[in-house]
Amino acid sequence: DAIADILNQSNVYSFLHVPVQSGSNKVLHAMNREYTVEEFRRVCDVLYSKVPAITIATDIICGFPNESEADFDETIALVEHYKFAILNISQFYPRPGTPAAKMKRLPTQIVKDRSRRLTKLFDSFTPYNSYINKTLRVWFNTEISDDGNYSVGHTKSYIKVLVPLDNRLPG
């Protein structure tokens, strides 16, 4: 509740990055994570219910050693349920010196296929359609787009907004 209260302040973005890594408790345990899928869901459910238009970003690692097809299906179901607007998808890569580096890796083709399937699901989401033809307050600072043509701002929900650069304006 305290986090929801903070995110509801007018001068704080309604945005939180909560990395889940997998939708499978078996995989989370193998990763030595100190949380369960149910706890992650509880956090999301509370935030979605108490913070209007919150954007929750999360991370998924595809192909962690010993991740079964059923485990991956649980991840797909989690992502499908929440339809995250921001989803960082990565393929498992063993960091030297970690326990996972000593585990037997899944075949590369399986890992790539899972990553592609999750990306395809994510690409099917339309999280910003409800904002079409709406006027929103946007905060700008000094960020400029990579091509130098736009000022970059963000809505309260941390949705990126690009407007043509006008050097006469502050910020």
Side-chain angles (χ1 to χ4, degrees):
D1 285 342
I3 291 174
D5 290 342
I6 292 167
L7 295 174
N8 278 316
Q9 297 296 313
S10 63
N11 61 342
V12 176
Y13 289 119
S14 296
F15 169 84
L16 199 59
H17 181 212
V18 187
V20 68
Q21 311 298 356
S22 175
S24 163
N25 283 327
K26 183 189 102 186
V27 173
L28 292 176
H29 179 74
M31 291 178 171
N32 290 319
R33 304 297 177 190
E34 296 182 359
Y35 55 87
T36 65
V37 174
E38 293 75 22
E39 289 167 329
F40 174 82
R41 284 179 175 273
R42 190 165 36 257
V43 167
C44 290
D45 292 345
V46 166
L47 290 172
Y48 281 127
S49 72
K50 295 188 180 235
V51 182
I54 188 171
T55 297
I56 298 176
T58 196
D59 305 339
I60 299 290
I61 298 173
C62 294
F64 190 81
N66 299 319
E67 176 188 63
S68 69
E69 191 63 32
D71 295 324
F72 184 69
D73 287 345
E74 291 179 42
T75 298
I76 290 283
L78 179 75
V79 171
E80 174 68 42
H81 177 78
Y82 288 103
K83 293 181 172 45
F84 300 103
I86 300 171
L87 181 65
N88 302 307
I89 302 167
S90 62
Q91 296 176 16
F92 172 75
Y93 179 80
R95 287 183 301 158
T98 63
K102 298 173 186 160
M103 295 177 179
K104 184 177 189 301
R105 294 179 69 179
L106 294 178
T108 302
Q109 195 53 45
I110 290 175
V111 177
K112 286 182 179 181
D113 177 65
R114 289 178 183 172
S115 179
R116 279 191 213 104
R117 287 166 42 206
L118 188 58
T119 299
K120 184 177 179 183
L121 173 64
F122 174 71
D123 287 345
S124 74
F125 301 159
T126 54
Y128 307 119
N129 281 1
S130 64
Y131 295 102
I132 295 173
N133 296 322
K134 293 214 172 141
T135 301
L136 301 169
R137 182 178 302 248
V138 178
W139 288 272
F140 290 91
N141 57 28
T142 58
E143 185 179 357
I144 305 296
S145 63
D146 291 340
D147 65 8
N149 294 324
Y150 298 92
S151 293
V152 179
H154 292 89
T155 68
K156 171 91 168 103
S157 300
Y158 207 68
I159 298 167
K160 186 184 288 189
V161 176
L162 302 177
V163 297
L165 185 62
D166 184 342
N167 290 321
R168 297 171 296 162
L169 297 175

